[in-house]
Amino acid sequence: MKKKIIIVSVSIICLAIGSFIYLQMDDSKQVSETYLQTLIYQDANHDLVPVSLNVHNQMELETDIRNKIDLMQSSQLQAYGLYPVIDSQLEVQSVELQDHMLTVSFNDCLYSNQDALNIIEALTYVLTDYDDVNQLKIQIDGKDVTYLPNSTVPLNHLTHDLGLNNFEEASTFLHQSVPVMVYQEKTIADYLYYVPTTLRISESDSLEEQVQTILNHINSKIHLLNASLDNQVLTLELDSNLLLDNERIDKTLEELIILSLTSLDNVKDVDILINGESVRNQETSQIHYNYIKI
């Protein structure tokens, strides 16, 4: 009888372990099949806000682009204080990718919108966020356009460097500077978001000057002691006034620093040293912000 009980018990344990492993594998499969897409919405002040939405299947390029435009025309995020940048009447007529140039033709709804700069920035940021796309060309009714009314941004060379919330429209300055997106925390409809502003930093500035300019926009209390770049890792030495009681820095502040500084050319990661010791809390790849599950 005891032997029988032992056999049954072992069988139950094996079944439980097998079920646990199966569930773990099934969960990992769901995670691998879910990927985040960054779309752009705006708040009531017309500030552009990048939002990470979960999408459960990957699509062919043209279908993916049409789906993104549809989502950015939607009002389903109004409860989160976010509104569509793209007019509901805007239609995608055609999509073509050739030699890393993505050409998208829209209907003439683009001409009639007053928020031309916001639309250009939103479309450029989202549609150049593909590995195979280096540049975006916008057409209207199949014809090339160089400018839109209410905007002086030239449409013949749109790249990811255009950024978001870029209030400097002078095209000559765009080519004489380094574009960086600096993130700050903003409360919108009782939700906290990381909202970027695109700054243009002089190419003649040293690395330390560029870094300090960015840090000043994040938080004026950040005092940079030294900055160095090696193998695409930017190492910062900061003053100890940022340390909390646990000898770490605030997690939000850390993320704002990393997100902002990785927009610099040739910077893939950031290490933060205080009193000679690293105070990084997490890997750069683990930073997910403005995530909304739909």
Side-chain angles (χ1 to χ4, degrees):
M1 183 69 177
K2 287 184 179 180
K3 184 176 181 182
K4 184 177 181 181
I5 293 173
I6 292 172
I7 293 173
V8 171
S9 300
V10 170
S11 299
I12 293 173
I13 292 171
C14 290
L15 180 61
I17 293 174
S19 299
F20 175 76
I21 293 173
Y22 174 79
L23 289 173
Q24 291 292 92
M25 290 174 63
D26 187 59
D27 286 345
S28 65
K29 182 180 179 183
Q30 287 184 352
V31 170
S32 66
E33 289 180 350
T34 300
Y35 68 102
L36 299 180
Q37 286 194 347
T38 300
L39 302 178
I40 307 301
Y41 294 84
Q42 62 185 348
D43 65 6
N45 297 321
H46 300 281
D47 286 341
L48 297 180
V49 182
V51 176
S52 297
L53 300 179
N54 58 303
V55 182
H56 292 282
N57 59 326
Q58 205 160 6
M59 293 170 280
E60 174 263 335
L61 179 63
E62 181 170 349
T63 303
D64 196 55
I65 287 174
R66 292 180 181 275
N67 185 55
K68 286 180 175 180
I69 299 298
D70 286 343
L71 286 171
M72 289 198 295
Q73 291 172 321
S74 170
S75 300
Q76 63 179 319
L77 299 185
Q78 287 189 10
Y80 298 93
L82 302 174
Y83 303 88
V85 182
I86 310 298
D87 190 278
S88 61
Q89 301 303 311
L90 185 68
E91 297 177 0
V92 176
Q93 297 177 331
S94 64
V95 175
E96 181 183 1
L97 177 61
Q98 186 173 5
D99 297 329
H100 303 289
M101 167 81 79
L102 178 65
T103 301
V104 182
S105 178
F106 298 95
N107 63 354
D108 62 3
C109 176
L110 275 179
Y111 282 134
S112 59
N113 204 294
Q114 298 299 310
D115 293 325
L117 179 59
N118 270 11
I119 292 173
I120 293 169
E121 288 183 356
L123 288 175
T124 302
Y125 192 86
V126 169
L127 299 184
T128 58
D129 196 23
Y130 294 96
D131 291 338
D132 293 334
V133 176
N134 294 336
Q135 187 174 337
L136 171 67
K137 178 191 285 187
I138 291 178
Q139 294 183 333
I140 295 179
D141 292 331
K143 298 179 180 179
D144 294 347
V145 288
T146 55
Y147 289 92
L148 288 181
N150 305 309
S151 172
T152 60
V153 173
L155 303 183
N156 55 358
H157 189 73
L158 295 174
T159 69
H160 212 63
D161 286 343
L162 179 62
L164 298 171
N165 298 314
N166 179 0
F167 303 111
E168 188 66 58
E169 290 195 63
S171 58
T172 54
F173 187 55
L174 297 181
H175 299 289
Q176 299 170 354
S177 58
V178 178
V180 291
M181 291 212 307
V182 180
Y183 289 78
Q184 293 177 312
E185 197 173 36
K186 182 177 183 179
T187 302
I188 303 172
D190 295 327
Y191 294 94
L192 291 176
Y193 296 93
Y194 292 172
V195 178
T197 298
T198 298
L199 302 180
R200 301 283 164 174
I201 300 176
S202 174
E203 290 181 329
S204 61
D205 286 350
S206 68
L207 176 63
E208 286 193 7
E209 289 172 328
Q210 292 181 8
V211 170
Q212 186 64 70
T213 298
I214 294 170
L215 296 178
N216 287 343
H217 279 82
I218 298 172
N219 188 322
S220 60
K221 295 181 180 179
I222 304 175
H223 182 208
L224 178 67
L225 302 178
N226 187 47
S228 60
L229 182 62
D230 184 33
N231 291 327
Q232 297 185 313
V233 177
L234 177 63
T235 300
L236 309 179
E237 295 181 37
L238 303 181
D239 190 270
S240 60
N241 69 315
L242 296 180
L243 287 176
L244 302 175
D245 291 339
N246 62 357
E247 297 300 309
R248 293 285 180 176
I249 65 172
D250 178 75
K251 180 175 177 291
T252 295
L253 180 61
E254 177 189 352
E255 292 182 344
L256 294 175
I257 290 173
I258 294 166
L259 288 170
S260 300
L261 291 177
T262 49
S263 68
L264 279 169
D265 284 342
N266 299 317
V267 176
K268 299 299 182 184
D269 201 357
V270 178
D271 194 13
I272 303 172
L273 304 181
I274 295 181
N275 295 330
E277 296 185 4
S278 177
V279 293
R280 281 292 303 273
N281 291 299
Q282 58 185 320
E283 297 293 330
T284 303
S285 60
Q286 295 174 344
I287 299 178
H288 300 298
Y289 64 99
N290 299 351
Y291 171 68
I292 298 177
K293 187 174 183 179
I294 58 172

